[in-house]
Amino acid sequence: MDVNAAVAAAAAIAGVLTGVIAMLAFRWSEREQKRPTRTSLHTDPVLPPGVDTVLSVLRSSAVVLDEADAVVKASSAAYALGLVRGGRLSVEPMLQMARDTRRDGEIRQVELDLPRRGTGRGEALAVSARVAPLGSRLVLLLVEDLTEARRIEAVRRDFVANVSHELKTPVGALSLLSEAVMDASDDPEAVERFAGRMQIEATRLTNLVQELIDLSRVQNDDPLEDAEPVRVDELVAEAIDRCRHQAGAKQITMAAGGTADLHVWGNRGQLAAALGNLVENAVNYSPARTRVGIAARRVTAPGGEHIEVAVTDQGIGISEKDKERIFERFYRVDPARSRATGGTGLGLAIVKHVAASHGGEVTVWSSEGQGSTFTLRLPEAGVARDRAHQHPDLDDLDDEAGRTTPQSSPYEPLPAPEVLP
């Protein structure tokens, strides 16, 4: 009996020891699994606390690289710009910057021009890249897209250059003519001739300054703050009256038609200036003894009822290449004719801005030798009132100012001009 008891006691002690050993082995295994190994340091890098949240709200494209130049974290913007492909940074200059920063810990910044992805155009993507160390093993790359900022700066630079050139021309002419008047003080006929030229240049200078003011106003002001229902018939009548003298001198007939009693919602002064510019252009670029027509109608569009006012002439027409640029500031289809008529090259740019700020658009149909039709489309009074605060930011119009899609005219072109005896 004593032997059996001893065997049972020994078996119990052995079981307890086995359980203890198994428990110790299990805890040791768990500890070893939680302990970072050399391999895990390279394959599973962890971002410092809070960095992931900060990167998600940055406007810049963000990429985090590990010791092996593998991408640990990349924003959606970085993928959109084509910076990351297949889990690697695809821009070699940026990759070299990251390696240098990882080696010496210095922050680096550079501006680069990158090819655009998925386009057949040769336009480059201008970016600013900044690299900084992130902890002891990671490197942070921030990339800012500068393409739009550079484009706007180029537009402003060209505008200043054009303004300087356009102002210098009449001012220089006035200076020379004033000297000629002084030298010809004893010749009444010469004085009268030079004085007449001075009046022409002074008028051109006045018109240029006024249109610069008008362009600045339509760009900076909200035309719908003081908006009101405006009768289209009255706008057409004002535009015709504004150009009556020029049309009479060239024996050009101006005819108005279309649907009566239409209304648009907007700034009366800006709308009158826009339509007046279209009619004035039609008269200036039409040969003598021809016709200019102004017609209004209501059309149905996805956004509601719109009013279209079309100005049709029998002028020289516009070539396909010029249609792409006619709404640029200071661009002239025929510079010689424009200067002869006192044009500044700002009229259509003003029309473009007025149309856009009122929630509309301006389109052109033209054929060389057959004339042109400019169509101003604006929301009808009730529709425009509901959308009073939904017009686009005028700063974005600079990219579109020189580009318009030629469209077919909804109006029949006027017949070929008849040369009257």
Side-chain angles (χ1 to χ4, degrees):
M1 199 47 110
D2 294 335
V3 174
N4 292 335
V7 171
I13 295 173
V16 170
L17 291 175
T18 302
V20 171
I21 293 172
M23 183 179 64
L24 291 175
F26 176 76
R27 291 194 174 183
W28 178 84
S29 176
E30 279 190 334
R31 183 177 302 175
E32 287 299 314
Q33 289 179 2
K34 292 181 180 180
R35 180 182 299 172
T37 63
R38 183 179 300 273
T39 303
S40 67
L41 287 174
H42 290 279
T43 58
D44 296 320
V46 179
L47 292 176
V51 172
D52 194 12
T53 303
V54 173
L55 295 182
S56 65
V57 299
L58 285 178
R59 296 181 59 183
S60 304
S61 302
V63 180
V64 178
L65 303 177
D66 64 8
E67 294 175 307
D69 293 334
V71 174
V72 177
K73 176 74 176 178
S75 64
S76 58
Y79 286 98
L81 289 179
L83 303 179
V84 178
R85 300 178 191 174
R88 309 289 294 185
L89 186 63
S90 61
V91 182
E92 185 61 33
M94 296 181 186
L95 187 58
Q96 187 59 48
M97 287 173 57
R99 292 167 178 168
D100 294 341
T101 296
R102 186 185 300 111
R103 185 181 64 252
D104 55 26
E106 292 186 5
I107 298 176
R108 288 174 169 81
Q109 184 168 353
V110 67
E111 292 188 3
L112 301 171
D113 291 332
L114 307 178
R116 289 183 180 269
R117 294 182 61 193
T119 63
R121 300 173 296 178
E123 299 177 2
L125 190 69
V127 299
S128 174
R130 184 178 180 86
V131 180
L134 186 63
S136 59
R137 298 178 294 106
L138 304 179
V139 173
L140 173 63
L141 170 67
L142 296 177
V143 180
E144 189 78 21
D145 188 355
L146 303 179
T147 308
E148 185 68 9
R150 284 192 180 180
R151 184 194 61 78
I152 293 175
E153 181 60 29
V155 169
R156 290 175 177 170
R157 186 168 55 250
D158 292 343
F159 180 70
V160 171
N162 286 329
V163 168
S164 302
H165 173 73
E166 295 293 334
L167 288 174
K168 185 171 64 176
T169 300
V171 169
L174 286 173
S175 177
L176 293 175
L177 288 169
S178 63
E179 293 179 5
V181 168
M182 294 178 62
D183 294 339
S185 58
D186 56 347
D187 186 350
E189 292 184 1
V191 170
E192 184 177 358
R193 184 172 68 255
F194 292 141
R197 289 297 308 276
M198 290 179 69
Q199 287 184 335
I200 294 174
E201 296 298 334
T203 301
R204 177 177 297 170
L205 181 60
T206 301
N207 292 339
L208 176 59
V209 172
Q210 184 58 51
E211 291 205 344
L212 285 172
I213 294 173
D214 292 341
L215 182 60
S216 176
R217 182 178 295 117
V218 300
Q219 286 181 309
N220 297 325
D221 293 349
D222 183 354
L224 302 181
E225 286 184 355
D226 302 320
E228 59 179 335
V230 181
R231 285 178 58 91
V232 176
D233 294 342
E234 294 178 358
L235 295 177
V236 172
E238 289 182 26
I240 292 176
D241 188 63
R242 167 178 167 178
C243 304
R244 194 178 302 279
H245 176 72
Q246 298 98 306
K250 299 172 66 175
Q251 300 180 37
I252 293 176
T253 301
M254 290 190 293
T259 307
D261 198 28
L262 299 175
H263 293 77
V264 294
W265 182 263
N267 184 292
R268 180 187 181 85
Q270 292 189 14
L271 293 173
L275 185 57
N277 285 345
L278 292 179
V279 176
E280 186 176 15
N281 272 3
V283 171
N284 288 338
Y285 285 90
S286 294
R289 302 185 181 94
T290 56
R291 188 179 176 205
V292 171
I294 306 99
R297 69 173 185 173
R298 179 187 289 108
V299 296
T300 301
E305 299 294 324
H306 282 64
I307 304 301
E308 285 187 348
V309 184
V311 179
T312 304
D313 62 59
Q314 297 171 291
I316 60 177
I318 305 171
S319 66
E320 288 297 327
K321 65 180 182 66
D322 287 325
K323 286 180 188 177
E324 300 289 332
R325 303 186 59 190
I326 54 174
F327 291 102
E328 287 183 15
R329 301 162 180 169
F330 298 110
Y331 185 79
R332 297 179 175 92
V333 174
D334 186 347
R337 181 187 290 264
S338 181
R339 291 192 180 279
T341 58
T344 62
L346 292 174
L348 290 180
I350 292 175
V351 175
K352 182 83 172 182
H353 280 277
V354 170
S357 66
H358 283 76
E361 62 176 346
V362 58
T363 58
V364 58
W365 171 92
S366 185
S367 179
E368 289 186 90
Q370 297 185 25
S372 306
T373 297
F374 285 85
T375 304
L376 183 62
R377 172 183 286 194
L378 300 167
E380 197 171 10
V383 177
R385 187 187 297 110
D386 296 337
R387 296 163 54 190
H389 300 289
Q390 300 180 11
H391 63 280
D393 187 351
L394 289 177
D395 290 338
D396 297 334
L397 294 175
D398 287 328
D399 187 35
E400 304 296 330
R403 298 172 176 82
T404 181
T405 303
Q407 301 188 9
S408 59
S409 172
Y411 303 90
E412 292 295 329
L414 292 173
E418 300 177 1
V419 179
L420 303 179

